[in-house]
Amino acid sequence: MANPKKKMSRCRTHRRRSLWKMSPPSVIRCPQCHEWTLPHRVCPSCGYYDGEVVLTIKEEK
Ligand SMILES: [Zn+2]
């Protein structure tokens, strides 16, 4: 039977959950405009990804 051998203590469960929250959010600097963006994503402020314009962002008037 796929069951845990021992009941996990409340302390251990809480510790694991708190550790998950400890992991820092992965953000990178855009090489084009040096804004903070998520990795493997098109930059929302300049529309560049991998040195090419992927999105054309309309400039505010
Ligand atoms: Zn950018």
Side-chain angles (χ1 to χ4, degrees), residues 18-32:
S18 70
L19 272 172
W20 171 80
K21 280 175 185 170
M22 284 289 282
S23 57
S26 55
V27 279
I28 52 138
R29 283 279 201 184
C30 172
Q32 213 67 34

Side-chain angles (χ1 to χ4, degrees), residues 7-52:
K7 182 183 177 178
M8 197 182 276
S9 66
R10 220 177 301 162
C11 172
R12 206 173 148 182
T13 304
H14 289 177
R15 199 177 296 158
R16 190 189 62 235
R17 286 180 187 173
S18 70
L19 272 172
W20 171 80
K21 280 175 185 170
M22 284 289 282
S23 57
S26 55
V27 279
I28 52 138
R29 283 279 201 184
C30 172
Q32 213 67 34
C33 63
H34 307 289
E35 280 290 320
W36 288 110
T37 55
L38 294 164
H40 310 291
R41 283 193 193 37
V42 179
C43 174
S45 52
C46 67
Y48 264 74
Y49 181 71
D50 202 24
E52 283 179 57

